[in-house]
Amino acid sequence: VGIELSPRFDFMQSMIDESIVRDWMTIGLPNDSTSIENALIITQAPKSALIIDPQNQATQWIKKMEEVRQLIILKPNSPNFYRSIENAVRLGIPVLLEDVQETVDPALDLLLMRKTYKQDGKEMVRIGDKAVEIDEKFRLYVTTKLTNPHFMPDMFVKVSIVNFIVTQIALEAQQLSLVVSLERPELETQKHELVMSIAADKKVLVEIEDKLLELLRNAGEHILDDELLITTIEEAKKKSLEVKERVRVSEETEIEINQLRMEYKPVAIRASIMFFVTGDMASIDPMYQYSLEFFRDLVHACITNAPKSDDRLKTLIDKITYSTYVTVSRGLFEVHRSLFA
């Protein structure tokens, strides 16, 4: 009946402004749809998030995102654990609870679910047997380094379970940035500056729209008689057109830079495949655990030390493949080396 429909529904665009997502990416959120949707659940779900984060990606992103709000970082065995949480709840300071296992202290159940109640006009929550006033700005993030935790069914009721294990697409994007930053540093610098510029300009557009809506809301009945409003609208329109043009030019330049960066995509693909092959060895023996940081350092060393050649991409792919095999094989039992090969 004439109602316009989006040709392709996008969960991200319906839930959050694109400028905020770009801000997240500049502080370390992986640039893939799964990571962005995970971030939306972490920041917007009514319950606290329990994040499966063996590669520390979510942890690093949360630390940078909440740094300005004086994030408190705790572990289950931290001294003055409950006192620290109670103070944070009262003051609205975010808390990151790291390295939990398959259970979380039952005393935090109501806090995790944000089951609050009113008392004398104040919003209260129970932590164990103690009632604490809760500030609406308070956030609790919980992370575990377990790769495949077996949570009890009631855990899924208490928290939003978020799987932040690195995906192949996300790792390819990260490895591509690493390869380009070493091979063509000027390209990666230009891309980073463009991303920052586009994010800043889009934030300006949102601020202009918000300001106009606020003025219109408070304008009263005689909008056309309000000279300040008319002048502000004209200035905002002019500024908006300037910013939109800047964004358009920046996005076109970003497309050109991305095309140049994509020349190194085969190297990034091979590096990510090697990481997941190495990671699969943990299913043979739990002792075979290799962190993402270890693998980044390995790829960094391969690219830095690779000899110059006419076919640079093939040289890098061969170097990464061979170095991964040699380095990882040193830590394998003899019986497993042929399997890894």
Side-chain angles (χ1 to χ4, degrees), residues 1-265:
V1 282
I3 299 173
E4 290 189 13
L5 300 174
S6 299
R8 180 177 171 275
F9 173 74
D10 190 316
F11 173 71
M12 181 196 81
Q13 289 182 354
S14 68
M15 290 296 295
I16 196 163
D17 190 85
E18 191 180 338
S19 62
I20 296 174
V21 176
R22 282 187 176 271
D23 286 346
W24 287 346
M25 288 177 188
T26 58
I27 57 172
L29 183 73
N31 183 12
D32 66 288
S33 58
T34 303
S35 298
I36 294 169
E37 288 172 8
N38 283 340
L40 286 172
I41 295 169
I42 291 167
T43 55
Q44 299 199 21
K47 295 183 288 188
S48 298
L50 198 168
I51 308 161
I52 302 168
D53 187 33
Q55 286 95 20
N56 258 4
Q57 294 192 116
T59 300
Q60 297 302 325
W61 167 64
I62 289 168
K63 285 178 179 178
K64 289 179 182 175
M65 178 176 66
E66 297 287 13
E67 189 177 22
V68 293
R69 295 179 57 208
Q70 300 174 318
L71 176 72
I72 295 173
I73 300 169
L74 298 172
K75 296 184 187 297
N77 58 355
S78 294
N80 301 317
F81 178 79
Y82 292 108
R83 187 180 299 170
S84 299
I85 288 184
E86 287 165 13
N87 290 337
V89 169
R90 288 193 192 94
L91 299 172
I93 299 171
V95 171
L96 173 61
L97 178 56
E98 291 184 312
D99 298 347
V100 301
Q101 297 303 302
E102 292 177 348
T103 58
V104 180
D105 192 329
L108 301 178
D109 285 356
L110 297 177
L111 184 61
L112 289 167
M113 294 186 283
R114 287 188 81 94
K115 283 204 169 181
T116 61
Y117 62 94
K118 292 280 187 181
Q119 181 178 309
D120 300 329
K122 297 176 181 176
E123 199 80 19
M124 308 292 288
V125 67
R126 296 200 75 81
I127 302 176
D129 58 355
K130 193 170 184 180
V132 181
E133 183 181 356
I134 183 169
D135 189 290
E136 63 177 10
K137 294 177 183 175
F138 172 76
R139 288 288 177 272
L140 175 60
Y141 308 96
V142 186
T143 63
T144 177
K145 284 194 168 74
L146 300 175
T147 306
N148 188 24
H150 298 284
F151 296 125
M152 296 297 287
D154 64 325
M155 185 65 77
F156 292 85
V157 177
K158 297 173 190 175
V159 295
S160 300
I161 305 289
V162 178
N163 187 351
F164 228 103
I165 294 175
V166 66
T167 63
Q168 184 141 351
I169 294 172
L171 187 57
E172 282 175 17
Q174 292 173 36
Q175 294 297 333
L176 182 60
S177 291
L178 174 61
V179 175
V180 176
S181 66
L182 294 171
E183 291 289 297
R184 298 282 299 275
E186 75 287 352
L187 269 186
E188 200 61 17
T189 302
Q190 196 176 351
K191 178 178 169 58
H192 180 70
E193 289 172 352
L194 271 175
V195 168
M196 297 287 283
S197 169
I198 292 170
D201 283 341
K202 289 196 171 181
K203 191 178 286 186
V204 168
L205 286 174
V206 172
E207 288 169 359
I208 289 171
E209 289 171 5
D210 290 344
K211 183 180 178 182
L212 285 176
L213 289 171
E214 182 67 22
L215 286 170
L216 289 168
R217 189 167 66 84
N218 299 323
E221 295 179 7
H222 305 290
I223 293 177
L224 297 177
D225 295 334
D226 190 333
E227 291 184 11
L228 176 62
L229 176 61
I230 299 298
T231 306
T232 307
I233 288 174
E234 288 176 354
E235 290 175 354
K237 183 180 179 182
K238 184 180 177 183
K239 177 75 172 175
S240 176
L241 290 172
E242 289 173 2
V243 173
K244 281 179 180 175
E245 179 60 20
R246 279 210 309 269
V247 169
R248 186 189 65 78
V249 172
S250 297
E251 287 179 340
E252 286 178 359
T253 308
E254 187 181 26
I255 290 169
E256 292 172 10
I257 291 172
N258 283 337
Q259 287 172 345
L260 292 171
R261 292 173 79 249
M262 290 305 283
E263 293 175 12
Y264 294 92
K265 186 76 181 283

